[in-house]
Amino acid sequence: MFNKLKICFMGSPEFSIPSLKAIINAGHEVSLVFTQEPKPANRGKKLKKQPVHEYAESIGLKVLFANSLKDKIEYLKNLNLDMIVVVAFGHILPSSIIDLPKFGCINLHASLLPRWRGAAPIQRAIMSGDTQTGVAVMLMDEGLDTGGVISTLSVDINPKNNVIKLTNELSLKGADLLEKSILQYANGILKPIPQSKVGITYANKIHKKDEVINWNKKASEIVNHINALSPFPGAKCRVKDEIIKIIEADVIENNEKVDNGVIIDSSIVIKCAQNAIKVKVLQRPGKKTMPTKEVLNGWRIEKGLRVQDIV
């Protein structure tokens, strides 16, 4: 029976850190961490390390970058790894890496597979109005999140939660599930179960076009859209020639016969295909995120104003 594994960890964003901590705290040997290389950030374009990079260095772990993966195959072979653990790494692994460790590569994915395979499962679940999501521990293969599922944990989606709150919840619960699952899998207690051929959906990466609010949708759908992108990158619309981010909004029952996208109350209530939304928190260009009441102290919005298209 195994009670300790030799592991290479691969991850990049804040979401990955609880999993890395859980593996270390459970007594496993983390020989190496792979992450995405530092990228230019903010206006100064100064290189910024990924959260996993910063954390791994702070506890003395060796860090290598994703762009050097193929060059490090022989190096990884010589480590005699039991397992590679992947959590939001941001890169697809070649088969030469997937087949290398004794127990293969294990991935923690932020959805209940096969729903929402791909890059943005949390955002797409909220955007689509799902009432439940979760995390899945999966044995990786060469497909996009197509491997056998070792374990899952379901989480209800609070309709008032934004993507940050749900991401934090899934990150913590996923780390706990991952830590419990890897030894059970290595010891043959848990077996990978092939994914269902029914209910497959893909969580495509969030692009600029996905940020634009479509006022021809129901108010409930628009609030889901806002929550899925809040606070970053933000759901956007143009008001008085300014592209604003709507950070928080509520559904307001309304049956007025006006065009979709028209402001029907100066407190920034906007008509939708069904009902309306009341904007509670927003961000104007170059300014801080603020409650709507505070924004309106210095930015007059009149009833009847139409929200402009973003082109």
Side-chain angles (χ1 to χ4, degrees), residues 92 107 109-125 130 133-134 136 138-139 141-149 193-206:
I92 295 174
N107 174 235
H109 185 75
S111 81
L112 297 175
L113 294 167
R115 185 162 179 80
W116 301 129
R117 294 173 177 172
I122 305 174
Q123 291 92 332
R124 296 297 180 184
D130 291 3
T133 186
M138 174 191 72
L139 179 64
D141 59 18
E142 291 184 62
L144 179 63
D145 301 325
T146 55
V149 174
I193 298 172
Q195 293 184 35
S196 172
K197 302 295 184 185
V198 178
I200 297 170
T201 57
Y202 288 92
N204 295 323
K205 183 179 178 181
I206 302 297

Side-chain angles (χ1 to χ4, degrees), residues 60-78:
L61 293 177
K62 182 178 178 64
V63 177
L64 294 174
F65 300 130
N67 60 355
S68 65
L69 253 180
K70 289 184 179 179
D71 299 333
K72 294 292 185 290
I73 292 175
E74 287 302 317
Y75 176 74
L76 287 168
K77 281 182 182 178
N78 291 332

